[in-house]
Amino acid sequence: MIEINHVNKWYGPSFQVLKDCTTSVAKGEVVVVCGPSGSGKSTLIKCVNALEPIQGGDITLDGVKVNDPKTDLPKLRSRVGMVFQHFELFPHLRIIDNLRLAQEKVLGRKAEDATAKGMKLLERVGLKDHAKKFPAELSGGQQQRVAIARALAMDPIAMLFDEPTSALDPEMISEVLDVMVDLAREGMTMMVVTHEMGFANKVADRVIFMDRGEIVEDAKKADFFGTPRSDRAQKFLSKILQH
Amino acid sequence: MNYNWNWHIFLEPNPMGTGTYLDLLLSGLVVTVKVSVLAWIIALVSGSVIGVLRTLPSRTASWIGFCWVEFFRNMPLLVQLFLWFFVLPELLPRSAGLWLKQLPNAPFWTAAIGVGFFMSARVAVQLQAGITSLPRGQKQASTALGLTTVQTYRYVLLPMAFRIILPPLTSEFLNTIKNSAVAITIGLIELTGQARSMQEFSFQVFEAFTAATVLYLLLNFVVVTAMRFLERYVAIPGYITGK
């Protein structure tokens, strides 16, 4: 589904954020990307739907080359859902209108169809009663669930999560993770940047560990948590699993 | 000081045969309103386009925006009006210049366009500030949903940016009204112009300019009140600037 081949990316002339990254995500697979801050994991996931351009290598998504100037990027992006650290709901639109906007403007769905689809998804994330509210009237956890519903409304073939729980209060993290676990169990293809090792342990098929722009470890979940090959990954794990 | 106050002068007929002196001032007020509203529309439309250009990643676009803003904000308004009114017709080919000079109401149109462009530089800078003050994730979220750049600006960025800059835009609207008085130098008889002709005909200089002052204050009060209502109307429940 997602193929990342020898991807290199620089910020400016000298700072290399991604160094020869190669990995893939198969259909229905859940891959967790972890690593210390500044390791390039968020950048990598943003390259998948071309929010960030790459300078070397290539990325294909469901057979379509992402870094090809001839690719219809808006169309490609509409097929991949993305969830951000800071939710990024559109503050001037009511919850239901946040879910309708791209359905109508990008997919050309009729208003009543988009509304029906939106309401169904809000019900699924447990927020049907909040449809008429504005984002600022919801808690962080609720906003993030709306953001997931907004991405799902486009019927994506895969979902990208960029640290979806990092900006949340601890007590709100589980309500978001619950939604993500359900999604994973239904067979959604997911690439998740997160520090939630509990989530990784529960639903991930594979774990990718990044450090300084390199993919240091790319292993099946059991292998990663059991015996990480690299020192760096071992240290990282022992630090975050210590408590 | 030997001055004969005469507040009844406003009810005396003016020498133009167009009613009383008050009618004279009110006809000036109407011109001020017309030229200011037209200038403000020009400023808003062209300023918005330029402001958006300045936020685009394209080098050419931001260079055009830069040139426009620096050209119109770095010259005194008075000089700009002289340029449009006296110099431009001479620079054009003879026939075009002649046509321009013979336009009916030339001072009115020149003032509207001149003040409009002068103010557009200020609107552009305000809007640029409004757009760049939005979280970067807003544009990314909208792009990730598949919206094009135009749609992103139209449905996501501009509705928020304009809400944020509404208070400074009110000041710019007031500035437009006040700046329209400069148009007497190219022969537009607006409120300040009529106050001066009243002074010349009647020698009641204090009464004439007191009345002009009160009329300007009333006009600006109407604008401030209307903008307050607009601010309240577009405020977003729960959002920080939307108290």
Side-chain angles (χ1 to χ4, degrees), chain A residues 66-101:
Chain A
V66 175
N67 53 320
D68 184 339
K70 281 182 293 237
T71 302
D72 180 356
L73 280 179
K75 194 178 162 207
L76 182 92
R77 288 178 180 130
S78 71
R79 301 176 65 208
V80 198
M82 185 153 202
V83 176
F84 296 83
Q85 183 176 1
H86 296 286
F87 336 130
E88 305 302 350
L89 297 180
F90 306 135
H92 62 295
L93 297 177
R94 291 175 197 277
I95 299 303
I96 186 65
D97 298 328
N98 261 278
L99 271 74
R100 281 173 53 202
L101 181 68

Side-chain angles (χ1 to χ4, degrees), chain A residues 92-182:
Chain A
H92 62 295
L93 297 177
R94 291 175 197 277
I95 299 303
I96 186 65
D97 298 328
N98 261 278
L99 271 74
R100 281 173 53 202
L101 181 68
Q103 288 192 69
E104 289 172 28
K105 304 299 173 195
V106 179
L107 303 179
R109 285 183 186 152
K110 283 203 208 91
E112 66 253 38
D113 298 342
T115 309
K117 174 108 194 164
M119 289 308 291
K120 223 172 83 187
L121 284 161
L122 283 180
E123 190 167 4
R124 173 178 175 167
V125 297
L127 294 169
K128 203 178 69 169
D129 299 338
H130 301 277
K132 293 275 178 208
K133 290 189 181 170
F134 285 89
E137 297 175 293
L138 267 53
S139 73
Q142 290 172 327
Q143 289 192 48
Q144 194 61 301
R145 278 143 69 199
V146 172
I148 295 173
R150 180 175 69 178
L152 290 175
M154 306 294 283
D155 293 320
I157 54 170
M159 288 281 286
L160 308 172
F161 292 84
D162 182 15
E163 305 207 29
T165 56
S166 304
L168 293 175
D169 288 344
E171 49 192 321
M172 291 170 184
I173 290 176
S174 69
E175 64 184 64
V176 172
L177 289 180
D178 286 345
V179 174
M180 291 169 61
V181 167
D182 283 348

Side-chain angles (χ1 to χ4, degrees), chain B residues 80-92:
Chain B
Q80 291 192 29
L81 286 188
F82 282 3
L83 271 182
W84 298 135
F85 196 69
F86 299 116
V87 182
L88 181 70
E90 307 301 328
L91 294 179
L92 291 174

Side-chain angles (χ1 to χ4, degrees), chain B residues 95-242:
Chain B
S95 56
L98 208 62
W99 172 80
L100 208 59
K101 281 190 236 176
Q102 288 169 344
L103 271 185
N105 257 342
F108 176 83
W109 298 110
T110 312
I113 294 170
V115 175
F117 281 174
F118 177 77
M119 294 307 296
S120 79
R122 304 178 57 94
V123 172
V125 174
Q126 310 268 15
L127 185 62
Q128 179 193 10
I131 293 172
T132 45
S133 76
L134 298 173
R136 261 181 67 208
Q138 288 283 299
K139 190 177 185 181
Q140 289 188 337
S142 166
T143 310
L145 280 166
L147 291 147
T148 60
T149 304
V150 174
Q151 288 174 324
T152 296
Y153 274 90
R154 162 72 182 81
Y155 298 113
V156 177
L157 301 181
L158 290 179
M160 282 311 295
F162 273 116
R163 280 179 171 86
I164 291 170
I165 63 165
L166 216 44
L169 275 189
T170 305
S171 310
E172 298 304 348
F173 193 2
L174 301 179
N175 282 338
T176 308
I177 295 169
K178 291 177 284 180
N179 282 339
S180 71
V182 177
I184 54 168
T185 56
I186 55 169
L188 184 69
I189 310 297
E190 37 66 81
L191 180 52
T192 309
Q194 293 293 24
R196 267 186 56 176
S197 50
M198 175 173 169
Q199 168 212 335
E200 275 156 25
F201 291 132
S202 69
F203 304 107
Q204 301 293 356
V205 55
F206 290 110
E207 289 85 344
F209 279 96
T210 306
T213 306
V214 169
L215 288 176
Y216 274 118
L217 283 175
L218 280 177
L219 176 57
N220 286 347
F221 179 73
V222 170
V223 170
V224 170
T225 312
M227 292 296 277
R228 280 270 162 74
F229 274 108
L230 183 63
E231 273 171 47
R232 226 169 282 165
Y233 178 72
V234 300
I236 300 161
Y239 194 75
I240 254 138
T241 59

